């Protein structure tokens, strides 16, 4: 999306931005590959027990507090000048939307198996959380796209959202305790690649360097007569 916007929407994306997009995608891919597999959850009762786990409750409360601080305090002052404010709000709220979709997917599966799920209060709680989180994400993502270029918002939002969702899944399903050393190193390496990609994308967004200019610096100079 970021690369296409530079061609079709005439938004600026220099070679540093393209390299940043590539590194962000590669880093996210490495993180997902080395992330622990989710524990299989087959019923709403199991999902409810996991959502009530103290570690996940602490994580959810922390995300909620940070998101509210960004929405109430930081966004009115810095939201129009810093691209990370709106993007972080969308990314943090995204953890709740993904968890809600996971629970509703289990509810739909049980409903297709002719199991009574309509009376389970968790279904309606998940629906309410999903509607609230998705509407909040759409609102602030549109604000970010109105204020900043798509080529800048899209990759940063992609990276922050992916990192938040992977972290939420690790805490919710507690598979992080079984990670091997190679997976830990791979996850950290992927995260470092993401950080480098974001840095290239954001720090050099106003640098005018094209591929032809870069190639001209390595071309052989003509010999003097």
């Amino acid at each position: 999306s970021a690369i296409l916007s530079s061609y079709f929407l005439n938004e600026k994306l220099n070679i540093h931005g393209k390299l940043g997009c590539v590194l962000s995608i590669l880093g996210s891919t490495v993180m997902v590959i080395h992330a622990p597999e989710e524990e299989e959850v087959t019923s709403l009762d199991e999902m409810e027990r996991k959502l009530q786990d103290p570690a996940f409750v602490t994580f959810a409360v922390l995300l909620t507090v940070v998101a509210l601080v960004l929405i109430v305090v930081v966004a009115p002052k810095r939201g129009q000048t810093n691209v990370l404010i709106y993007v972080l709000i969308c990314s943090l709220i995204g953890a709740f939307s993904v968890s809600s979709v996971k629970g509703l997917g289990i509810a739909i599966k049980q409903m297709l198996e002719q199991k009574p799920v309509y009376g389970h209060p968790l279904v309606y709680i998940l629906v309410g959380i999903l509607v609230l989180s998705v509407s909040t994400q759409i609102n602030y993502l549109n604000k970010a796209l109105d204020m900043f270029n798509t080529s800048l918002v899209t990759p940063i939002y992609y990276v922050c959202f992916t990192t938040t969702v992977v972290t939420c899944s690790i805490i919710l399903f507690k598979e992080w305790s079984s990670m091997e050393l190679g997976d830990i190193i791979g996850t950290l390496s992927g995260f470092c690649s993401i950080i480098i990609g974001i840095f290239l994308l954001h720090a050099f967004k106003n640098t005018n360097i094209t591929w032809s200019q870069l190639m001209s610096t390595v071309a052989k100079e003509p010999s003097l007569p």
Side-chain angles (χ1 to χ4, degrees):
S1 177
I3 294 174
L4 291 177
S5 65
S6 65
Y7 292 101
F8 295 103
L9 301 180
N10 295 322
E11 295 182 355
K12 183 179 178 181
L13 184 65
N14 54 23
I15 189 171
H16 295 89
K18 295 176 182 178
L19 290 176
C21 291
V22 172
L23 283 176
S24 299
I25 294 174
L26 292 178
S28 301
T29 304
V30 171
M31 281 192 67
V32 172
I33 290 175
H34 288 280
E37 295 182 358
E38 293 183 358
E39 181 181 344
E40 184 66 23
V41 180
T42 58
S43 66
L44 287 175
D45 293 331
E46 294 181 18
M47 188 68 183
E48 183 178 3
R49 287 194 295 269
K50 290 188 175 297
L51 292 175
Q52 294 175 351
D53 183 79
F56 179 76
V57 172
T58 303
F59 176 75
V61 170
L62 181 62
L63 285 186
T64 303
V65 171
V66 175
L68 288 177
V69 170
L70 290 174
I71 293 173
V72 177
V73 179
V74 182
K77 299 179 180 179
R78 303 289 301 276
Q80 296 182 352
T81 58
N82 193 330
V83 66
L84 289 176
I85 304 302
Y86 292 148
V87 171
L88 283 177
I89 294 174
C90 296
S91 302
L92 295 177
I93 299 299
F96 297 107
S97 62
V98 172
S99 302
S100 302
V101 168
K102 176 71 174 180
L104 292 175
I106 296 173
I108 293 174
K109 181 179 178 181
Q110 286 190 290
M111 183 179 63
L112 295 177
E113 294 174 353
Q114 305 299 323
K115 295 181 180 180
V117 297
Y118 300 103
H120 205 296
L122 182 61
V123 176
Y124 304 99
I125 294 175
L126 292 177
V127 170
I129 294 175
L130 181 61
V131 172
L132 181 62
S133 59
V134 170
S135 59
T136 304
Q137 284 179 266
I138 293 175
N139 179 40
Y140 284 97
L141 183 59
N142 286 333
K143 288 184 177 181
L145 293 173
D146 289 338
M147 298 300 303
F148 305 97
N149 287 345
T150 307
S151 59
L152 184 64
V153 173
T154 303
I156 295 179
Y157 174 64
Y158 165 76
V159 169
C160 294
F161 180 82
T162 303
T163 304
T164 304
V165 169
V166 170
T167 304
C168 179
S169 298
I170 291 174
I171 295 175
L172 180 61
F173 297 102
K174 289 188 175 300
E175 290 295 322
W176 51 271
S177 58
S178 61
M179 290 181 66
E180 299 179 354
L181 180 61
D183 292 329
I184 295 176
I185 295 175
T187 302
L188 294 177
S189 299
F191 186 73
C192 291
S193 299
I194 291 173
I195 296 299
I196 295 173
I198 294 178
F199 177 78
L200 288 175
L201 182 68
H202 190 66
F204 299 98
K205 60 182 179 181
N206 295 323
T207 304
N208 295 321
I209 298 179
T210 62
W211 181 257
S212 59
Q213 292 174 342
L214 185 63
M215 293 303 297
S216 65
T217 60
V218 298
K220 183 179 179 180
E221 296 182 358
S223 58
L224 296 176

Short mmCIF file of all heavy atoms in Angstrom, two decimals, residues 12-19 204-217:
data_model
loop_
_atom_site.label_atom_id
_atom_site.label_comp_id
_atom_site.label_asym_id
_atom_site.label_seq_id
_atom_site.Cartn_x
_atom_site.Cartn_y
_atom_site.Cartn_z
N LYS A 12 5.30 10.92 -1.53
CA LYS A 12 6.74 10.76 -1.57
C LYS A 12 7.17 9.51 -0.80
O LYS A 12 6.83 9.33 0.36
CB LYS A 12 7.43 11.99 -0.98
CG LYS A 12 8.94 11.94 -1.05
CD LYS A 12 9.54 13.22 -0.47
CE LYS A 12 11.06 13.16 -0.50
NZ LYS A 12 11.65 14.39 0.08
N LEU A 13 7.91 8.65 -1.44
CA LEU A 13 8.52 7.49 -0.80
C LEU A 13 9.87 7.26 -1.45
O LEU A 13 9.96 6.72 -2.55
CB LEU A 13 7.62 6.25 -0.94
CG LEU A 13 8.12 4.99 -0.21
CD1 LEU A 13 8.10 5.21 1.29
CD2 LEU A 13 7.26 3.78 -0.58
N ASN A 14 10.93 7.70 -0.77
CA ASN A 14 12.27 7.60 -1.35
C ASN A 14 12.83 6.19 -1.15
O ASN A 14 12.15 5.30 -0.64
CB ASN A 14 13.20 8.66 -0.74
CG ASN A 14 13.22 8.59 0.78
OD1 ASN A 14 12.92 7.57 1.36
ND2 ASN A 14 13.58 9.69 1.41
N ILE A 15 14.07 6.02 -1.53
CA ILE A 15 14.68 4.69 -1.46
C ILE A 15 14.82 4.22 -0.02
O ILE A 15 14.71 3.02 0.28
CB ILE A 15 16.04 4.69 -2.19
CG1 ILE A 15 16.57 3.26 -2.32
CG2 ILE A 15 17.05 5.58 -1.47
CD1 ILE A 15 17.79 3.15 -3.21
N HIS A 16 15.04 5.15 0.91
CA HIS A 16 15.10 4.76 2.32
C HIS A 16 13.75 4.23 2.80
O HIS A 16 13.70 3.26 3.56
CB HIS A 16 15.52 5.96 3.17
CG HIS A 16 16.91 6.45 2.91
ND1 HIS A 16 17.19 7.40 1.95
CD2 HIS A 16 18.09 6.11 3.46
CE1 HIS A 16 18.49 7.63 1.93
NE2 HIS A 16 19.06 6.88 2.84
N GLY A 17 12.67 4.87 2.34
CA GLY A 17 11.36 4.41 2.73
C GLY A 17 11.04 3.03 2.18
O GLY A 17 10.45 2.19 2.87
N LYS A 18 11.44 2.77 0.94
CA LYS A 18 11.20 1.44 0.37
C LYS A 18 12.01 0.37 1.09
O LYS A 18 11.51 -0.72 1.36
CB LYS A 18 11.54 1.47 -1.12
CG LYS A 18 10.61 2.38 -1.93
CD LYS A 18 11.02 2.45 -3.38
CE LYS A 18 10.11 3.40 -4.17
NZ LYS A 18 10.51 3.53 -5.59
N LEU A 19 13.28 0.69 1.40
CA LEU A 19 14.08 -0.26 2.17
C LEU A 19 13.49 -0.46 3.56
O LEU A 19 13.51 -1.57 4.10
CB LEU A 19 15.52 0.25 2.28
CG LEU A 19 16.35 0.23 1.00
CD1 LEU A 19 17.72 0.86 1.24
CD2 LEU A 19 16.52 -1.19 0.49
N PHE A 204 14.55 9.42 7.31
CA PHE A 204 15.02 9.91 6.02
C PHE A 204 13.87 10.20 5.06
O PHE A 204 14.04 10.12 3.84
CB PHE A 204 15.97 8.88 5.38
CG PHE A 204 17.20 8.61 6.19
CD1 PHE A 204 17.26 7.51 7.03
CD2 PHE A 204 18.29 9.45 6.14
CE1 PHE A 204 18.38 7.25 7.78
CE2 PHE A 204 19.43 9.20 6.89
CZ PHE A 204 19.48 8.10 7.73
N LYS A 205 12.69 10.52 5.61
CA LYS A 205 11.53 10.72 4.75
C LYS A 205 11.66 11.96 3.87
O LYS A 205 11.05 12.05 2.81
CB LYS A 205 10.25 10.82 5.59
CG LYS A 205 10.27 11.98 6.58
CD LYS A 205 9.00 11.99 7.41
CE LYS A 205 9.02 13.14 8.43
NZ LYS A 205 7.78 13.15 9.24
N ASN A 206 12.49 12.93 4.29
CA ASN A 206 12.67 14.16 3.51
C ASN A 206 13.97 14.17 2.72
O ASN A 206 14.34 15.20 2.15
CB ASN A 206 12.65 15.38 4.44
CG ASN A 206 11.29 15.56 5.11
OD1 ASN A 206 10.26 15.33 4.48
ND2 ASN A 206 11.30 15.97 6.37
N THR A 207 14.66 13.04 2.67
CA THR A 207 15.92 12.94 1.92
C THR A 207 15.62 12.60 0.47
O THR A 207 14.94 11.60 0.19
CB THR A 207 16.83 11.88 2.53
OG1 THR A 207 17.04 12.18 3.92
CG2 THR A 207 18.17 11.83 1.82
N ASN A 208 16.12 13.42 -0.45
CA ASN A 208 15.86 13.21 -1.87
C ASN A 208 17.02 12.43 -2.50
O ASN A 208 17.97 13.00 -3.01
CB ASN A 208 15.68 14.55 -2.58
CG ASN A 208 14.44 15.28 -2.10
OD1 ASN A 208 13.42 14.67 -1.86
ND2 ASN A 208 14.55 16.59 -1.93
N ILE A 209 16.94 11.14 -2.42
CA ILE A 209 17.92 10.26 -3.05
C ILE A 209 17.17 9.25 -3.91
O ILE A 209 16.33 8.50 -3.41
CB ILE A 209 18.79 9.53 -2.03
CG1 ILE A 209 19.60 10.54 -1.19
CG2 ILE A 209 19.74 8.56 -2.72
CD1 ILE A 209 20.47 9.90 -0.14
N THR A 210 17.45 9.23 -5.19
CA THR A 210 16.81 8.30 -6.11
C THR A 210 17.76 7.16 -6.43
O THR A 210 18.97 7.20 -6.14
CB THR A 210 16.40 9.02 -7.41
OG1 THR A 210 17.57 9.53 -8.05
CG2 THR A 210 15.44 10.17 -7.10
N TRP A 211 17.21 6.12 -7.04
CA TRP A 211 18.03 4.97 -7.41
C TRP A 211 19.06 5.34 -8.47
O TRP A 211 20.19 4.84 -8.44
CB TRP A 211 17.12 3.85 -7.91
CG TRP A 211 17.88 2.61 -8.30
CD1 TRP A 211 18.16 2.18 -9.56
CD2 TRP A 211 18.45 1.66 -7.41
NE1 TRP A 211 18.88 1.02 -9.52
CE2 TRP A 211 19.07 0.66 -8.22
CE3 TRP A 211 18.51 1.52 -6.02
CZ2 TRP A 211 19.73 -0.43 -7.67
CZ3 TRP A 211 19.17 0.42 -5.49
CH2 TRP A 211 19.76 -0.52 -6.29
N SER A 212 18.69 6.20 -9.40
CA SER A 212 19.64 6.61 -10.43
C SER A 212 20.80 7.40 -9.84
O SER A 212 21.96 7.24 -10.26
CB SER A 212 18.92 7.45 -11.50
OG SER A 212 18.33 8.61 -10.91
N GLN A 213 20.49 8.26 -8.84
CA GLN A 213 21.57 8.98 -8.18
C GLN A 213 22.49 8.04 -7.42
O GLN A 213 23.71 8.22 -7.40
CB GLN A 213 20.98 10.02 -7.22
CG GLN A 213 20.26 11.16 -7.92
CD GLN A 213 19.59 12.09 -6.93
OE1 GLN A 213 19.36 11.73 -5.77
NE2 GLN A 213 19.25 13.29 -7.38
N LEU A 214 21.91 7.03 -6.80
CA LEU A 214 22.72 6.07 -6.06
C LEU A 214 23.62 5.27 -6.99
O LEU A 214 24.79 5.00 -6.69
CB LEU A 214 21.81 5.14 -5.25
CG LEU A 214 22.50 4.14 -4.33
CD1 LEU A 214 23.28 4.86 -3.24
CD2 LEU A 214 21.48 3.20 -3.71
N MET A 215 23.07 4.88 -8.14
CA MET A 215 23.87 4.10 -9.09
C MET A 215 24.94 4.95 -9.74
O MET A 215 26.01 4.45 -10.10
CB MET A 215 22.95 3.51 -10.17
CG MET A 215 21.99 2.45 -9.63
SD MET A 215 22.82 1.07 -8.81
CE MET A 215 23.74 0.39 -10.20
N SER A 216 24.69 6.25 -9.90
CA SER A 216 25.69 7.11 -10.52
C SER A 216 26.92 7.28 -9.64
O SER A 216 28.01 7.55 -10.14
CB SER A 216 25.08 8.49 -10.83
OG SER A 216 24.72 9.15 -9.62
N THR A 217 26.77 7.10 -8.34
CA THR A 217 27.92 7.25 -7.45
C THR A 217 28.86 6.06 -7.53
O THR A 217 30.04 6.18 -7.16
CB THR A 217 27.44 7.41 -5.99
OG1 THR A 217 26.69 6.27 -5.61
CG2 THR A 217 26.60 8.67 -5.85
#
